[in-house]
Amino acid sequence: MSIKNSDVKSLSLSDAGVLRIEWASREMPVLQIIRQRFAKEKPLKGVRIAACLHVTSETANLMLALKDGGAVVVLCASNPLSTQDEVAAALVKEYGIPTFAIKGESNEVYYRHIKSALSHRPQITMDDGADLVSLLHREHQGWLGDILGGTEETTTGVIRLRSLAKAKKLGYPIIAVNDAHTKYLFDNRYGTGQSTIDGITRATNVLWAGKKVVVCGYGWCGKGIAMRARGLGAQVIVTEVDPVRALEAVMDGLQVLPLVKASRVGDIFITATGNTSVIDEPHFRALKSGAILANSGHFNVEINIPALQALSTGRRHVRPFVEEFTLSDGRLVFLLGEGRLVNLAAAEGHPASVMDMSFANQALSVEYVKTHRGLASRVYPVPEAIDREVGRLKLRSMGLSIDRLTGEQRKYLSSWEQGT
Ligand code: ADE
């Protein structure tokens, strides 16, 4: 349904969305502290923000914090399959935030939604995967000068932005929220770990114990997925292209194999590499019948679906978010969530408690961009003071306290004279 500058599935879903947003807020104490301060101080008064993020109950809480801070916010989806339609409806109907997002939208509608968000002429952009920033740079060069800065949520987006900056084409400063310690060590590892297992379980109801689970990529997301699959009793095999990460996997007690060998034995395959055609024709040819393929990376390119289709004689939906491919020799392969990020397609994404830290970093980074004029057109890290403050507030919200350095210890750490 489309009303006044919005495009969501149905406004009648709004009440359910409000309940979801409130439920998530209970697990987002750090963001709530920031929201309360923003409501008092209005640090973002009148600033136009376009956010291209997964439209979830956690993102809704971030949008409300920015709005309370005085910002004029519009939101569009950062993936065609990650939107929670109830939440999108509530954002529009209950909270008056223009939102462009429908779960299952086509690529065409997805880009139309990003264009709608951009048509609000943002002064600050917030992105998850850099599609909004990419479109802005490709189609609206003339608008770049009005933009104060932006933030980027995810590894893939930061990689794209660094490449834009390297080509000297990045038009304004952007803060790499992904790279804050209080983001990637928790969101990428524990968030992706839990929500990926959750998505595959909800889609298939598979028993993990005793399964051979092949995790492609041993970055922070892959580490989290492997850890949680192992915790459920799976035998985890890791595939890597980076020797150091492969060594880490071995010394974490996991088996490491080239993917073509792992393809012959694996029951469940999960990609988390950020790269393209990771599971490809030679691997499809080697799979056991019944193999399950899922992706947890940002884009739906990690599993080469056109190649899988080309090897298949049949393709049908057998459950929500599960497609069965029949290969010409009769083997069956199951693809989850159209090869899009399975944790958001088939489940609810990362739990609110971990998004609390990611989105606290987002909110404080937006405030930083607003108050620090004159930054160069570069990709910046989240200032350490923000990162540490988020960690401090999270610990406090969990009722935990930690020790402090004594004066003697601080002095010792800054000296070079003292040895044994
Ligand atoms: N990315 C992963 N999980 C998410 C969530 N729950 N909300 C927004 N973005 C996410």
Side-chain angles (χ1 to χ4, degrees):
M1 174 183 290
S2 184
I3 65 155
K4 259 206 318 180
N5 259 341
S6 286
D7 193 17
V8 301
K9 184 166 183 198
S10 168
L11 293 176
S12 68
L13 300 170
S14 170
D15 288 351
V18 171
L19 291 174
R20 277 183 90 145
I21 294 167
E22 287 174 3
W23 182 258
S25 77
R26 293 188 186 102
E27 287 272 54
M28 303 183 85
V30 179
L31 187 63
Q32 296 318 321
I33 289 170
I34 295 167
R35 182 175 172 185
Q36 282 156 17
R37 177 172 67 76
F38 276 14
K40 271 199 220 119
E41 297 175 5
K42 304 283 177 204
L44 306 173
K45 192 155 184 269
V47 177
R48 293 187 306 279
I49 299 179
C52 179
L53 300 169
H54 300 300
V55 179
T56 65
S57 51
E58 293 77 25
T59 299
N61 278 286
L62 172 60
M63 295 300 105
L64 295 176
L66 301 175
K67 188 173 181 211
D68 279 1
V72 182
V73 187
V74 301
L75 175 65
C76 64
S78 60
N79 185 288
L81 209 48
S82 62
T83 297
Q84 296 168 0
D85 288 319
E86 305 92 321
V87 169
L91 281 168
V92 176
K93 188 166 172 211
E94 187 71 23
Y95 304 110
I97 295 181
T99 301
F100 305 88
I102 299 173
K103 189 173 177 99
E105 64 198 15
S106 64
N107 275 6
E108 189 194 334
V109 173
Y110 172 72
Y111 281 106
R112 194 176 77 219
H113 283 163
I114 294 180
K115 284 180 186 172
S116 301
L118 281 176
S119 71
H120 285 240
R121 298 294 300 269
Q123 296 161 294
I124 292 181
T125 64
M126 302 175 76
D127 220 339
D128 185 334
D131 275 346
L132 179 137
V133 171
S134 170
L135 195 83
L136 183 59
H137 280 69
R138 280 182 281 120
E139 297 191 359
H140 299 290
Q141 281 285 324
W143 296 0
L144 298 177
D146 299 337
I147 298 184
L148 303 173
T151 62
E152 170 52 53
E153 169 75 5
T154 201
T155 317
T156 293
V158 172
I159 290 170
R160 291 178 85 190
L161 293 173
R162 292 224 163 92
S163 131
L164 192 61
K166 197 165 169 212
K168 306 224 175 310
K169 290 186 177 158
L170 181 62
Y172 55 90
I174 300 196
I175 310 243
V177 168
N178 180 71
D179 296 354
H181 293 105
T182 48
K183 200 279 185 182
Y184 73 86
L185 288 175
F186 303 94
D187 172 314
N188 300 24
R189 180 169 39 175
Y190 303 112
T192 309
Q194 178 168 327
S195 62
T196 299
I197 302 291
D198 186 15
I200 298 171
T201 308
R202 289 196 205 192
T204 62
N205 198 27
V206 76
L207 178 74
W208 291 85
K211 290 284 187 305
K212 286 197 167 65
V213 173
V214 179
V215 178
C216 305
Y218 205 61
W220 291 107
C221 295
K223 285 184 174 79
I225 296 165
M227 184 192 342
R228 293 303 179 233
R230 194 184 198 193
L232 286 166
Q235 296 174 43
V236 177
I237 300 169
V238 168
T239 73
E240 250 302 341
V241 291
D242 179 317
V244 177
R245 286 183 173 174
L247 268 177
E248 278 186 279
V250 174
M251 296 204 189
D252 284 345
L254 306 172
Q255 191 179 1
V256 172
L257 283 177
L259 182 53
V260 84
K261 283 197 178 155
S263 301
R264 293 184 210 128
V265 294
D267 300 302
I268 302 172
F269 294 75
I270 308 168
T271 50
T273 70
N275 216 328
T276 191
S277 297
V278 174
I279 307 187
D280 210 340
E281 193 184 321
H283 313 113
F284 300 137
R285 290 191 186 283
L287 291 176
K288 295 193 300 190
S289 187
I292 292 170
L293 310 182
N295 168 50
S296 205
H298 187 78
F299 287 117
N300 60 337
V301 295
E302 304 208 14
I303 301 167
N304 187 345
I305 301 169
L308 179 59
Q309 166 76 46
L311 290 175
S312 303
T313 55
R315 179 174 179 173
R316 60 178 184 146
H317 285 278
V318 291
R319 288 165 64 94
F321 309 112
V322 184
E323 253 187 302
E324 177 194 79
F325 288 75
T326 305
L327 306 189
S328 48
D329 58 6
R331 281 175 302 134
L332 302 178
V333 173
F334 298 103
L335 174 70
L336 306 193
E338 301 169 19
R340 299 193 188 276
L341 3 82
V342 71
N343 58 339
L344 282 141
E348 296 174 55
H350 304 352
S353 177
V354 86
M355 294 313 296
D356 187 27
M357 286 191 277
S358 308
F359 285 170
N361 276 294
Q362 282 281 6
L364 296 178
S365 295
V366 165
E367 182 184 34
Y368 183 87
V369 163
K370 160 74 187 353
T371 49
H372 289 74
R373 302 290 171 95
L375 295 173
S377 294
R378 283 185 13 217
V379 179
Y380 285 88
V382 171
E384 200 182 322
I386 291 181
D387 203 353
R388 294 181 71 79
E389 176 67 1
V390 172
R392 237 188 327 267
L393 289 172
K394 190 66 181 178
L395 273 175
R396 204 169 80 194
S397 78
M398 296 166 86
L400 300 172
S401 54
I402 57 173
D403 295 326
R404 281 170 172 270
L405 291 175
T406 63
E408 183 194 1
Q409 288 169 331
R410 202 167 300 114
K411 194 166 160 217
Y412 179 83
L413 287 178
S414 62
S415 72
W416 57 271
E417 296 96 337
Q418 292 180 55
T420 306

